Amino acid sequence: MMEERRIFLPSPKLSQQAHIKSMEEYRALYRESIDDPEGFWARVAEEVEWFHKWDRVMIDDFAHARHAWFVGGKLNAAYNCLDRHLTGARKAKAAIMWEGEPAGETKTYTYQQLYEEVCRFANVLKKHGVKRGDRVSIYLPMIPELPIAMLACARIGAIHSVVFGGFSAESLRDRIEDAGTTVLICCDGYYRGGRIMDSKATADAAMAQYPGMQRAFVVRRSGGKVDMQKGRDTWWHEEMAAKDIASECKPEEMDAEDPLFILYTSGSTGKPKGVLHTTAGYLLSVKKTFELIFDYHDGDIMWCAADFGWITGHSYGLYGPLCAGATSVIVEGSLSYPKPDRLWEIVEKHRVNIFYTTPTTVQACMREGDEWVDRHDLGSLRVLGSVGDPINPEAWMWYYTVVGKEQCPIIDTWWQTETGGAMITPLPGAIPLKPGSATVPFFGVELAILREDGTECEVNEGGYLVIRRPWPGMMRSSFGEPEQFKETYFVQFPGLYFTGDWARRDEDGYYWLMGRVDDVIKVFGYRVGAVEIEHALTSHEAVAEAAVVGFPHEAKGQGIYAFVVLKSGVEQSEELKKALADHCRTKIGPIAIPDHIQFVTVISRTIQGKTMRRILRKIAEGDIGDLGDTSTLADRSVVDSLFEGRR
Ligand code: WTA
């Protein structure tokens, strides 16, 4: 591996105004956060409003895969994102600036307006019997009703479960069923890359397979024709306009540890798990990280380009910015349609100060060429963020020089759905940057890099990244399966949280993330489980067996490589490959479509019959020069035949 040695110091101008002004200040505060986490987080907690203060800051019990924060405290997340800002001038400040895909369609909600909309929808939910603790599934594109619905749930104590609008009917059904929801919020259709996606039909297909659905609120977005099932489906706008719907709604007094939301994410098992986040710990984590990692100042405009169907959108599109009183830009549709510079046009138009996206988006822009960027005045930008995948130094440098004109720090943030907020990240005014490194741990985050046997790695030695102690924003449980939380994260290294990532720490204490070690594949920065795709493939009538691995892919970060054994008598053909790809789309969604399908007669397995993914990954990468330990492989010749068939 080429050693990356460039270092970029924070600009003095930025440092002077920053919340954290120097490496020394960072180090001192970091020390304090580790030595006295209760003192540190209690101070953060004072920044929001409580109905009742906590009795105890934390219960630190990773030994039993358990932790809790601000125990005994009572607060409401929506209240802290809205009502708290309604005194004084902030009331009239934009909370959300929305940009629809059809050119020229924009909408701004001030804090006051958003508050009223949220209260109204909270009242609609209440009117239809939704209570504290009930789960509400939200299947919407990036339109204002999405954050409104999320905050309305939070206001009345219902637990929202946002399902990415691009997921298939089956994926939606699974998530609805697992959460046991009785209410779905969806829309007629929406815009994506110039097309209208028929979203209600997909929701209908999901609901048809789930008899428990009592009510669907349908947002009118595309204006297309939809089937409204009598007694179940009603229009959002009609519900909101009803005479008995008031624009005030008393917030529910939630316990600090009450669930705020569930978000399904892919792991090593076939079934996506419902990551459960709670009210106080999550809210405070995202507020504080938002303010410090992007060096937020009052008046800044934040654009987190991630869809709210993923954790990044939850944390840095909605809860972080709104809890801090910022303006958040929300964009519907494709960022590269109708032209590759739609993204930069939006930055220019809304005078965005903080822009946050994925390395795959940065790389896609880089491939389009500098001229698309240069066409726009991007002088408003101050901080550029990256998340979801390791960003390679080349893309980092392009982002830094071409987009940021060497004036904006690149804030490469490492974190996970499970951690709620950023864990390894630079701070704009304090941390010198090294292209490709997510740099240093955030306050209160204590990490280690371990060998298989649990001993600590040396400097620059790659190993398993673990988290040593609880952090307020960390998930509490897998919804409905409390045991699974322990089994997934705390068995590899007992008492420590296992991230699933491979990393090294250099001589300056900087972290370099090197990808997943488990069966999670990151496509465009989004998670999809290898096992989920295998299940999708084997559910096809032609398939006997399947094994799926990720491989480096220039445009997607990781691509999907599927080894497929067909049932006897089934003919191999290009049409069948296409049919299998379509099948994955229907079962999971477009992100799960394999880039390569290789028909094989046998899959490489261990003596115990376990799929040798490590070996399959090598084959998919086209390099079987060094296979490492193959002693457990049942039949070595299989590897060679798989490799030959690779073409
Ligand atoms: C990867 C996204 C390198 C990592 C917030 C992690 C990263 C997984 C980075 C979580 C980064 C995220 N550098 N790798 N800056 N950020 N990852 O749950 O493998 O969608 O475990 O959360 O993304 O993905 P998730």
Side-chain angles (χ1 to χ4, degrees):
M1 186 196 310
M2 214 184 71
E3 191 73 21
E4 175 61 54
R5 293 203 175 277
R6 285 170 290 199
I7 293 189
F8 295 84
L9 300 176
S11 85
K13 191 168 146 237
L14 219 148
S15 292
Q16 271 159 24
Q17 297 162 3
H19 297 300
I20 311 289
K21 298 180 168 55
S22 66
M23 192 62 158
E24 293 66 49
E25 203 180 322
Y26 159 76
R27 285 213 181 96
L29 199 52
Y30 178 76
R31 215 25 309 136
E32 210 182 305
S33 72
I34 296 297
D35 293 344
D36 178 21
E38 303 211 49
F40 179 86
W41 288 109
R43 261 184 291 141
V44 175
E46 295 290 352
E47 297 172 14
V48 303
E49 274 184 45
W50 297 77
F51 300 122
H52 177 79
K53 288 266 168 77
W54 56 94
D55 305 318
R56 193 171 162 188
V57 176
M58 68 166 177
I59 295 173
D60 169 356
D61 190 12
F62 259 14
H64 298 94
R66 210 172 69 95
H67 64 123
W69 291 83
F70 307 103
V71 181
K74 287 195 192 299
L75 77 172
N76 183 287
Y79 178 93
N80 275 293
C81 289
L82 298 167
D83 311 40
R84 202 163 61 80
H85 306 308
L86 298 183
T87 54
R90 207 177 266 170
K91 190 175 168 153
K93 174 182 176 173
I96 286 175
M97 293 200 293
W98 175 73
E99 181 80 24
E101 189 180 92
E105 230 188 302
T106 55
K107 242 192 233 176
T108 297
Y109 291 80
T110 63
Y111 271 95
Q112 177 69 32
Q113 287 164 336
L114 187 64
Y115 161 84
E116 286 171 21
E117 292 290 303
V118 167
C119 285
R120 294 187 81 84
F121 193 65
N123 285 326
V124 169
L125 290 172
K126 275 167 96 169
K127 177 174 157 183
H128 290 280
V130 179
K131 297 180 309 298
R132 179 177 177 142
D134 288 351
R135 276 81 57 211
V136 172
S137 295
I138 307 178
Y139 184 62
L140 288 177
M142 291 289 276
I143 53 177
E145 286 80 0
L146 174 51
I148 291 169
M150 291 164 79
L151 291 170
C153 288
R155 191 159 194 95
I156 64 169
I159 306 167
H160 60 70
S161 167
V162 178
V163 180
F164 174 54
F167 271 130
S168 69
E170 282 197 35
S171 291
L172 174 60
R173 196 265 333 266
D174 289 348
R175 285 158 177 77
I176 288 172
E177 197 169 62
D178 191 86
T181 52
T182 51
V183 173
L184 177 71
I185 302 159
C186 57
C187 72
D188 49 0
Y190 63 91
Y191 300 88
R192 171 120 203 132
R195 293 199 303 158
I196 291 184
M197 313 304 278
D198 198 357
S199 188
K200 178 67 165 49
T202 314
D204 284 341
M207 288 191 283
Q209 297 169 36
Y210 178 70
M213 194 58 73
Q214 290 164 10
R215 183 138 319 265
F217 297 107
V218 187
V219 177
R220 183 176 275 159
R221 169 69 191 125
S222 63
K225 227 179 108 42
V226 295
D227 286 331
M228 297 288 277
Q229 191 182 92
K230 223 173 158 297
R232 188 193 68 192
D233 303 350
T234 61
W235 288 105
W236 168 291
H237 61 273
E238 287 176 5
E239 294 283 352
M240 290 287 266
K243 283 212 180 55
D244 56 344
I245 295 300
S247 46
E248 304 229 315
C249 170
K250 194 173 167 301
E252 194 70 26
E253 297 194 3
M254 305 304 289
D255 284 329
E257 283 290 309
D258 273 336
L260 178 61
F261 65 85
I262 306 169
L263 185 59
Y264 285 87
T265 190
S266 298
S268 300
T269 58
K271 203 167 143 277
K273 51 181 178 279
V275 170
L276 185 80
H277 281 291
T278 51
T279 308
Y282 173 80
L283 190 69
L284 292 167
S285 296
V286 297
K287 174 182 190 284
K288 203 67 224 162
T289 47
F290 169 71
E291 290 171 346
L292 295 185
I293 70 179
F294 300 119
D295 198 42
Y296 171 74
H297 292 273
D298 200 19
D300 281 348
I301 309 228
M302 167 79 189
W303 181 19
C304 165
D307 192 286
F308 283 16
W310 310 93
I311 192 69
T312 307
H314 278 61
S315 301
Y316 299 113
L318 185 64
Y319 285 109
L322 293 203
C323 192
T327 300
S328 180
V329 174
I330 296 181
V331 177
E332 180 194 41
S334 162
L335 297 185
S336 55
Y337 177 87
K339 300 241 173 63
D341 62 343
R342 176 167 184 237
L343 189 155
W344 311 119
E345 207 170 276
I346 294 170
V347 169
E348 180 175 15
K349 175 175 170 189
H350 292 291
R351 308 301 300 152
V352 170
N353 307 109
I354 307 164
F355 176 63
Y356 195 31
T357 193
T358 58
T360 46
T361 303
V362 174
Q363 275 171 294
C365 293
M366 187 167 115
R367 272 194 305 275
E368 292 292 345
D370 301 4
E371 61 274 20
W372 294 104
V373 183
D374 294 340
R375 245 172 236 199
H376 299 277
D377 171 9
L378 305 182
S380 59
L381 289 173
R382 206 183 66 243
V383 174
L384 296 171
S386 173
V387 61
D389 272 314
I391 181 165
N392 68 49
E394 198 197 355
W396 195 104
M397 286 306 299
W398 184 83
Y399 202 20
Y400 184 71
T401 50
V402 178
V403 179
K405 314 283 186 281
E406 298 179 24
Q407 301 299 310
C408 309
I410 305 300
I411 302 301
D412 174 6
T413 62
W414 176 89
W415 55 294
Q416 309 180 298
T417 307
E418 292 88 338
T419 68
M423 303 295 273
I424 306 178
T425 172
L427 303 173
I431 312 290
L433 306 171
K434 300 187 189 186
S437 168
T439 74
V440 295
F442 188 76
F443 303 117
V445 175
E446 199 185 354
L447 304 166
I449 297 177
L450 302 181
R451 303 190 181 104
E452 191 95 48
D453 64 5
T455 55
E456 288 234 22
C457 290
E458 302 286 334
V459 166
N460 282 323
E461 178 186 346
Y464 300 99
L465 179 68
V466 301
I467 304 177
R468 281 202 183 280
R469 58 159 92 185
W471 196 73
M474 287 194 64
M475 71 183 284
R476 297 297 189 273
S477 184
S478 295
F479 182 76
E481 281 163 293
E483 273 307 299
Q484 202 191 46
F485 178 53
K486 188 170 177 180
E487 285 156 22
T488 310
Y489 303 99
F490 291 91
V491 291
Q492 295 84 350
F493 301 103
L496 303 175
Y497 171 92
F498 177 63
T499 63
D501 277 38
W502 188 253
R504 69 180 166 91
R505 188 170 42 212
D506 72 14
E507 49 289 336
D508 298 322
Y510 276 45
Y511 287 79
W512 299 78
L513 280 306
M514 299 187 281
R516 306 274 317 187
V517 287
D518 56 10
D519 303 325
V520 171
I521 304 175
K522 302 256 358 201
V523 180
F524 293 116
Y526 298 134
R527 274 163 81 154
V528 48
V531 182
E532 276 170 73
I533 306 171
E534 289 168 4
H535 287 179
L537 286 167
T538 50
S539 73
H540 189 278
E541 58 194 10
V543 175
E545 273 185 80
V548 167
V549 292
F551 69 98
H553 186 291
E554 207 199 325
K556 300 165 91 175
Q558 271 191 300
I560 298 169
Y561 199 112
F563 297 89
V564 170
V565 181
L566 293 174
K567 285 191 182 145
S568 63
V570 177
E571 284 281 327
Q572 300 183 2
S573 70
E574 285 307 308
E575 290 77 66
L576 182 56
K577 278 190 189 172
K578 203 180 156 293
L580 293 179
D582 279 345
H583 191 66
C584 291
R585 180 207 304 269
T586 319
K587 285 275 163 188
I588 303 174
I591 63 163
I593 298 173
D595 299 272
H596 294 292
I597 294 179
Q598 182 181 340
F599 292 127
V600 298
T601 46
V602 52
I603 282 168
S604 108
R605 294 195 188 280
T606 62
I607 298 155
Q608 290 83 24
K610 240 173 95 85
T611 309
M612 278 293 256
R613 279 179 211 282
R614 184 172 56 78
I615 306 257
L616 293 178
R617 253 180 237 133
K618 290 271 183 194
I619 295 169
E621 285 165 17
D623 173 20
I624 54 165
D626 173 20
L627 285 182
D629 177 16
T630 53
S631 57
T632 56
L633 205 58
D635 181 358
R636 165 72 221 223
S637 70
V638 167
V639 176
D640 299 314
S641 73
L642 288 178
F643 193 69
E644 267 160 44
R646 183 179 177 272
R647 270 188 289 164

